[in-house]
Amino acid sequence: PTGGLCLSDIYSAVLPLYSYHCRHQARNRLVALGQLCSRLHHCGGLDSQYAGVPDWQFADISRINLVLSIFLCIFVAVKTILLTMKKRLQWLLAALLLGTPSIGYAQKGNLQKGDYGFLYCHMNDHGRAWTAYALSRDGFHYNDLLNGDSIFSDAEHARIEGATRDAYICRKHDGKGYLMVCTDMNVGARDRLGKVETWDNYGIDLLRSDDLIHWKSVTFDYRKGTQIFSDPNAPSVYKDWSTINRVWAPQIVWDEDYVWPNGKKGGYMVYYSMRNRGEDHYDRMYYSYADETFTTLTQPKLLFDWGYATIDADINWVEADQKWHMMIKKEGGKAGLFTATAPKLTGPWSEPVEDDYVNFEGNKACEGVSAFQLPGQKTWVIAYIEYSSNPRNYRLCLADEHTT
């Protein structure tokens, strides 16, 4: 206390919403300045500076110094508040877009989000497709950002065809940034690009960002063969890569158990459907691994083969049964959106559960299935697009804690 005014009382009234570290830092500064005020008030150790000064003049000098010191204390406190607010506003921007990562418990797969809301990274398909953002507070009602406009330049990032589809976004496993993968495909440029079929494409784009606004990327054109991968001499799934005609709907999941050749653990499993017109009869699911820089991929390996086309897989760890669960579109056998399970990300994956699935709503066409949890709930939200109607419909339904 200085002159009956306790500076710590001012500080406590102003900074209750900020972190303990910031309050502790500000309190230390104020205590130090308070001690300075006290010394000025009592002239402890400063007598030689004021030798011969009359008591009434000395008292005036002390009061002036005391007032100046109090103002200095307040200035430092306000400066601390403003700096803290700036940091917190930067943090809140990230929280606005993807929520705060949940910490303090073990989790598998991608880093879980907090309870602020949901960022939907989706394909806006008005002619040439592009990647857009939408936000939701409850996971069910979404509003487009930027009026549904593209969040980045496809010309810059989609180096094969100049358009992106099927975007999937997640946090980095350490919470220090964001990752995205896209199908590099322009369905409106068949003639210009010399495609055999409209829905042909040849590769995918890997993107990374610190703020969800500015993105860096690498593009993998699979027609170029094994030279584009980080392990070009590993066994290859194809003899001739030049006839690749589909690399569709890639997604990302962090695999803490993956071991690199140098012994380092942890990698991003990037999984996707692929078809080589010259060697395949239908689309099958494959996977590669990207390192923590998210700029390299290993050669594809077959994830499973059910004997018919499968696309649009979505994989999540389910705590209830301690297994990986996949939702996927079957384009053979009984049509629909089905589930399968595995003890490890790379399998072995079970046959699809035939009596528990999302049908195609009669003769309507459905795909793009994905699953996510609402904060604090064990149930799952299953989402998919019904695209044969005009306009298209995005469906949301609920599943229990086992995603059944």
Side-chain angles (χ1 to χ4, degrees), residues 382-404:
I382 308 300
Y384 63 93
I385 185 172
E386 185 271 293
Y387 62 93
S388 53
S389 298
N390 188 13
R392 301 178 178 92
N393 299 295
Y394 204 68
R395 308 292 199 200
L396 297 172
C397 52
L398 292 177
D400 65 17
E401 61 184 306
H402 300 279
T403 67
T404 59

Side-chain angles (χ1 to χ4, degrees), residues 43-200:
C43 295
L46 299 178
D47 297 75
S48 60
Q49 184 177 349
Y50 299 103
V53 179
D55 289 344
W56 64 271
Q57 290 184 6
F58 178 79
D60 287 343
I61 293 172
S62 285
R63 290 190 184 95
I64 292 171
N65 285 333
L66 175 61
V67 171
L68 290 176
S69 297
I70 291 173
F71 276 114
L72 180 60
C73 290
I74 295 173
F75 170 76
V76 172
V78 171
K79 181 179 178 181
T80 301
I81 294 170
L82 293 176
L83 290 174
T84 304
M85 288 177 65
K86 180 180 178 181
K87 293 179 181 178
R88 282 304 175 99
L89 286 173
Q90 292 173 342
W91 178 87
L92 284 173
L93 176 59
L96 173 66
L97 293 177
L98 274 183
T100 309
S102 301
I103 57 176
Y105 59 90
Q107 55 184 331
K108 284 181 175 288
N110 295 333
L111 185 64
Q112 298 300 304
K113 284 84 174 172
D115 59 3
Y116 179 84
F118 299 86
L119 175 67
Y120 175 32
C121 184
H122 67 95
M123 176 174 59
N124 202 333
D125 194 7
H126 298 291
R128 178 189 67 80
W130 62 83
T131 299
Y133 283 157
L135 284 178
S136 172
R137 285 290 284 115
D138 61 8
F140 292 98
H141 304 88
Y142 290 83
N143 294 293
D144 267 328
L145 296 181
L146 305 174
N147 294 316
D149 200 0
S150 177
I151 61 171
F152 50 61
S153 168
D154 279 350
E156 176 183 354
H157 297 294
R159 298 169 180 84
I160 304 173
E161 300 192 25
T164 54
R165 304 177 68 89
D166 308 321
Y168 180 88
I169 192 170
C170 67
R171 289 182 179 271
K172 290 183 178 179
H173 75 95
D174 58 5
K176 299 178 180 179
Y178 310 91
L179 304 175
M180 186 189 299
V181 281
C182 302
T183 305
D184 193 309
M185 184 199 303
N186 189 341
V187 297
R190 173 180 175 177
D191 294 337
R192 177 173 62 84
L193 297 173
K195 294 184 180 183
V196 176
E197 297 179 3
T198 298
W199 292 95
D200 281 356

